[in-house]
Amino acid sequence: MKYILVTGGVISGVGKGVIASSFGTILKCSNIHVTSIKIDPYINIDAGTFSPYEHGEVYVLDDGGEVDLDLGNYERFLDITLHRDNNITTGKIYQHVISKERRGDFLGKTVQVVPHITDAIQEWVERVANQPVTEDGTKPQVCIVELGGTIGDIEGMPFVEAFRQFQFRVKKENFICAHVSMIPQPRTTGEPKTKPTQASVRELRGLGLSPDLIVCRSENPIGQAVKDKISNFCHVAPEQVLCIHDLSSIYRVPILMESQGILEFFNDRLQLNIPMPPPRKFMHKWKDLAERADTLCKDVTVALVGKYTKLEDAYASVTKALQHAAVAAGFRLKIKYIEAANLEEATRRSNPVPYHEAWQELCKSDGVIVPGGFGKRGMEGKMEACKWCRETKKPFIGICLGLQAAVIEFSRNVLNLADANTTEIDPDTESAVVIDMPEYNPGIMGSTMRLGKRTTVFAHDNSILRQLYGNKDRIEERHRHRYEVNPKYVSQLEAAGMKFVGRDEDNIRMEIVELDDHPYFVAMQYHPEYLSRPLKPSPPFLGLILASVGKLHSYLARGCRLTPRLLSDDDSDDEIPRTMFKDNFVISKDMLIEERSKSTISLPELV
C-alpha cells in the first residue's frame, strides 16, 4: 500500500480537498486503484450534529456515515463509495482508545497520547486503506490521506506525530507528504510572497515531516522565479513545487497538475510501474469535460431557496449536482441563493426591500430547488416558493424538507387544511401531515436519523422520475431525515393530484412526489445529490435543468438520450421544431401535431 499525506499551511480552506481529489483522479486515469481518508481533528464523533455554518454541508455515505463534505469531493472525483471509517476524527480515536482501556486491553498501563493515541491512528489508517471502495471489490493500491486544519493547530498535533512515526513504519518508498500552502499576492505590490510558505514548511519539518511536494495555491499564475525561490528555501527540487492558481473550474485542476509532471513524480517516488509516457488520450474525458464546461454559451438560472444561503458550502453537493446536470445538458449554470425567510409575509411587513428583491430573483429564475434542512426558520418561505412553482408551472424540485414543505403547502391550499403542519414545528397540530419517526429518534441527536442508502420502489408506471431513472422498478438513494409524510393523509393528497409515485419497500414511507398537470414538479425524501457524478449527473437534477430550458419532453421522447440535436441551440420546447422546411413547403408545428393526433402518418409521408 502506498500513502500520500496531504497537509495544509498558512490558512485553512486553501483547497486541500480538491488537491487530494486531483491526485487521485490522475492516478485513477493511470489504472491505479485509489481510496481516500479525511482526518478532522475536532472532538466530535462525526459531522452529524454540526450546523452547516460550521464546516459546510453534512455529507452522507451509503452506510449512513455523516461525514465532512470533502469526502463528497473524493467520491465525485474518483467515482468510489467510501465508508464512515474513511472519516477519522479526534472523537472517534479517543472513543476507540478509551473503550479499549475500559475493557482492560492495556493490561493496567498508563494510557497516553504517545504511544496509544498515535498507534490507534496508524492502525486505523492501515485498516481503512485496505478496504475496497469499488463495486468489483478490488483492493486499493494508493491511499490519499487529507489532514484537516492547518499545520501548527494544537488539536492536530497527535495526528502529525502519528504520521511522523508512520513514514518509518511503511518505508520511504511507500509514503509521500504533500504540503499545500498559500502564496499571497498583495494588491499594493502585486508580487507573490513566499515567506508564509517558508514558515509553514519550516514548522512542518520541525514536527518531523519533510514535504516531498509543495503545492502552491495562488489567485494568479506565479512564475518560475517564485518556484525556484520556494525550492531553494524549502529543501525540495524545483520539479517538486506545483503551482495551482484559481481556475475556471475545478475540473481543470488535475489537468494542470498533470501538465507539471506530477504523474512522473508519483510513478518514480512510489514505484507504481505506470507505463511512461502516458498514452495520447490520457485523461481525455476530464479534458473534454473541462473544455465543455468552459465553452458553454447559453445560461440557465436556478433559484435555490434555503436557510443557510450565507455559506455556499452549506449546499455543496446540491450545487455540484446542478453543475453536473447543466454541463451535461449544454447550459452554463447560474445559481441564485434566496434566503427562504425573505419570501415570507412577515418580512414584507418588517423589511420590504429584501422581500421584494427575493421575489424578483425567484420570478426571474428558470427553475427552483428547495433543498433539505431542519428547524422552523424559513419554513413558511419555502412553502411560498412551493406554492408559486405549483401555480405558475415553474419547474421545481424539493429535497427532504423540500418534499415536506411541498406536502404541507398543498394540504393547506388545495385540501384546505388550514392548520396543516409538521410535528417538527408544531407538535400539537391537528393536521399533522408530516410526522416524526420514533424508531429513528430515541432522544439522542447524533446518528439517530434514517440514514444511508435505502431502496425506493416506483408505484406508478407513468412517472416522470421513473423515466429519468431509465424505467427501473426500484432505485437506491441516500437518506438523511427524521420526519416523514403521514400515511393517514396519502389518499386525500393523491385524490387531489399529488401522486406519491415512489415508496419504500414496505409501502409505508412516501419517497417521491409528483404533481399532475405540471411540466416538472417533483420532490423526494432522499438526497439524490449525494450520488451525482461529473460524468453521470443525477436524474432528478438533469430533469430540472432540462425542464427549465424547455427540453425535458424531447429528452424523454428520445428515450432519455442526450443527442446532439437536443444539445443544439434550438430553443424548441419539445421534439418538434417550430417550423420544418422541405422542398419549398413549410409545415408548422401546430399542423404536425394536429396530423399526428389524427393518425400515425410519418413525417416523410406528410411532407
Side-chain angles (χ1 to χ4, degrees):
M1 176 63 65
K2 314 292 183 180
Y3 298 90
I4 301 174
L5 173 66
V6 180
T7 62
V10 182
I11 61 171
S12 60
V14 74
K16 297 188 300 296
V18 174
I19 298 297
S21 300
S22 299
F23 285 160
T25 299
I26 294 169
L27 291 171
K28 186 169 183 179
C29 289
S30 304
N31 297 317
I32 299 294
H33 295 280
V34 182
T35 186
S36 294
I37 294 175
K38 172 66 187 299
I39 296 175
D40 289 302
Y42 44 68
I43 299 177
N44 303 63
I45 298 297
D46 59 29
T49 56
F50 279 146
S51 162
Y53 284 137
E54 290 289 317
H55 295 273
E57 74 166 3
V58 177
Y59 189 78
V60 178
L61 302 173
D62 273 6
D63 62 4
E66 297 172 287
V67 297
D68 185 83
L69 61 83
D70 276 322
L71 274 78
N73 276 331
Y74 304 153
E75 287 201 336
R76 284 187 287 268
F77 268 75
L78 306 178
D79 196 16
I80 57 179
T81 302
L82 299 174
H83 317 289
R84 65 174 74 236
D85 284 349
N86 287 81
N87 191 197
I88 303 174
T89 69
T90 297
K92 283 183 180 179
I93 295 296
Y94 274 78
Q95 185 184 56
H96 173 70
V97 172
I98 291 172
S99 296
K100 291 179 68 176
E101 187 274 332
R102 291 289 85 189
R103 292 196 306 264
D105 292 359
F106 296 114
L107 300 176
K109 292 183 178 179
T110 303
V111 180
Q112 298 174 290
V113 173
V114 180
H116 300 102
I117 295 296
T118 53
D119 283 352
I121 294 168
Q122 295 175 66
E123 292 164 5
W124 193 303
V125 169
E126 282 191 309
R127 174 175 58 85
V128 173
N130 286 279
Q131 292 180 354
V133 291
T134 54
E135 291 183 358
D136 59 9
T138 304
K139 178 183 173 182
Q141 298 165 273
V142 176
C143 178
I144 300 172
V145 183
E146 179 193 345
L147 177 56
T150 307
I151 290 299
D153 293 345
I154 190 169
E155 61 263 32
M157 290 300 182
F159 294 99
V160 175
E161 171 60 22
F163 282 104
R164 185 196 67 78
Q165 300 172 20
F166 192 70
Q167 62 185 331
F168 302 109
R169 180 172 178 158
V170 299
K171 308 301 180 188
K172 181 180 179 180
E173 64 272 15
N174 298 321
F175 184 86
I176 283 178
C177 177
H179 188 62
V180 185
S181 184
M182 188 71 183
I183 305 293
Q185 296 171 290
R187 292 185 179 180
T188 52
T189 63
E191 179 186 6
K193 297 297 183 181
T194 64
K195 274 292 186 290
T197 297
Q198 294 177 41
S200 179
V201 170
R202 186 163 54 248
E203 184 165 11
L204 181 62
R205 294 181 68 195
L207 296 171
L209 282 172
S210 185
D212 303 288
L213 273 174
I214 298 178
V215 183
C216 300
R217 287 282 293 110
S218 60
E219 185 178 355
N220 301 307
I222 57 179
Q224 186 63 39
V226 177
K227 289 183 65 173
D228 291 341
K229 187 175 182 180
I230 293 172
S231 167
N232 188 34
F233 284 97
C234 296
H235 197 61
V236 294
E239 60 269 19
Q240 292 168 241
V241 179
L242 301 183
C243 298
I244 308 297
H245 59 277
D246 292 349
L247 298 166
S248 54
S249 73
I250 60 173
Y251 307 132
R252 291 207 173 272
V253 176
I255 299 171
L256 179 58
M257 279 187 175
E258 193 274 332
S259 69
Q260 297 182 45
I262 187 65
L263 182 59
E264 289 81 355
F265 174 77
F266 283 156
N267 193 35
D268 179 62
R269 181 69 170 71
L270 295 176
Q271 302 175 11
L272 295 173
N273 299 318
I274 301 172
M276 288 292 167
R280 183 172 58 86
K281 289 190 175 182
F282 182 66
M283 295 185 70
H284 72 280
K285 288 185 178 180
W286 276 94
K287 293 176 181 177
D288 291 345
L289 178 64
E291 191 64 29
R292 180 174 178 79
D294 286 348
T295 55
L296 298 173
C297 299
K298 302 186 72 177
D299 295 334
V300 56
T301 302
V302 175
L304 189 153
V305 181
K307 60 182 292 187
Y308 310 113
T309 54
K310 293 179 182 177
L311 180 67
E312 293 184 10
D313 272 354
Y315 301 107
S317 291
V318 172
T319 301
K320 299 299 182 187
L322 287 170
Q323 290 173 349
H324 300 162
V327 171
F331 283 77
R332 183 171 52 205
L333 177 68
K334 290 187 175 181
I335 300 179
K336 299 295 184 181
Y337 293 92
I338 299 176
E339 184 68 31
N342 289 344
L343 298 173
E344 298 174 359
E345 182 65 21
T347 304
R348 185 185 70 82
R349 294 193 298 268
S350 62
N351 198 357
V353 173
Y355 172 84
H356 291 292
E357 288 177 346
W359 273 104
Q360 185 179 44
E361 293 288 357
L362 186 68
C363 293
K364 290 192 298 184
S365 65
D366 301 309
V368 177
I369 181 168
V370 177
F374 296 92
K376 179 179 180 179
R377 183 173 63 84
M379 188 62 173
E380 294 295 328
K382 292 179 181 182
M383 285 190 277
E384 288 293 335
C386 295
K387 179 182 179 182
W388 182 78
C389 290
R390 177 175 61 82
E391 293 178 343
T392 62
K393 308 293 185 183
K394 182 69 70 174
F396 168 87
I397 179 172
I399 298 173
C400 196
L401 185 64
L403 175 142
Q404 298 168 14
V407 170
I408 296 170
E409 183 278 320
F410 193 87
S411 300
R412 290 181 180 180
N413 298 301
V414 178
L415 298 184
N416 296 318
L417 300 175
D419 61 342
N421 215 328
T422 167
T423 55
E424 179 183 14
I425 295 174
D426 184 3
D428 300 321
T429 178
E430 293 185 2
S431 302
V433 294
V434 177
I435 57 176
D436 65 335
M437 299 180 291
E439 72 273 30
Y440 287 101
N441 185 14
I444 299 174
M445 296 297 291
S447 297
T448 57
M449 290 184 278
R450 187 168 179 246
L451 295 165
K453 182 178 280 190
R454 309 277 175 161
T455 299
T456 295
V457 180
F458 283 103
H460 292 252
D461 293 333
N462 59 342
S463 160
I464 292 178
L465 271 187
R466 182 174 185 172
Q467 295 180 65
L468 289 170
Y469 276 103
N471 286 312
K472 295 179 180 178
D473 292 330
R474 56 183 58 210
I475 57 173
E476 289 186 327
E477 293 278 4
R478 297 176 182 177
H479 293 66
R480 184 178 185 248
H481 65 107
R482 189 174 273 118
Y483 297 85
E484 63 175 346
V485 175
N486 191 341
K488 187 174 75 173
Y489 292 91
V490 168
S491 58
Q492 298 179 55
L493 291 164
E494 289 203 312
M498 177 171 273
K499 303 299 184 183
F500 293 93
V501 300
R503 308 185 181 193
D504 75 339
E505 292 180 292
D506 298 323
N507 199 31
I508 296 175
R509 296 199 158 94
M510 304 300 112
E511 295 281 0
I512 303 175
V513 164
E514 291 183 14
L515 272 189
D516 287 344
D517 301 322
H518 195 289
Y520 195 75
F521 190 105
V522 302
M524 57 282 307
Q525 189 61 71
Y526 56 81
H527 289 261
E529 68 270 22
Y530 292 142
L531 293 182
S532 182
R533 302 290 182 261
L535 300 174
K536 189 171 63 177
S538 171
F541 285 90
L542 184 59
L544 175 67
I545 296 297
L546 291 172
S548 299
V549 298
K551 294 179 179 288
L552 178 59
H553 293 300
S554 178
Y555 176 73
L556 297 176
R558 287 182 168 84
C560 295
R561 290 183 297 112
L562 290 168
T563 61
R565 181 176 175 181
L566 184 70
L567 297 175
S568 69
D569 291 335
D570 179 20
D571 283 328
S572 61
D573 55 5
D574 60 29
E575 70 272 24
I576 307 171
R578 291 294 171 186
T579 57
M580 302 182 68
F581 299 88
K582 178 69 174 179
D583 299 331
N584 297 326
F585 289 92
V586 179
I587 301 173
S588 73
K589 174 184 172 182
D590 295 335
M591 290 171 56
L592 193 54
I593 292 174
E594 183 179 354
E595 289 297 330
R596 280 190 174 179
S597 67
K598 292 178 182 177
S599 67
T600 57
I601 187 170
S602 66
L603 179 59
E605 292 171 337
L606 184 61
V607 170

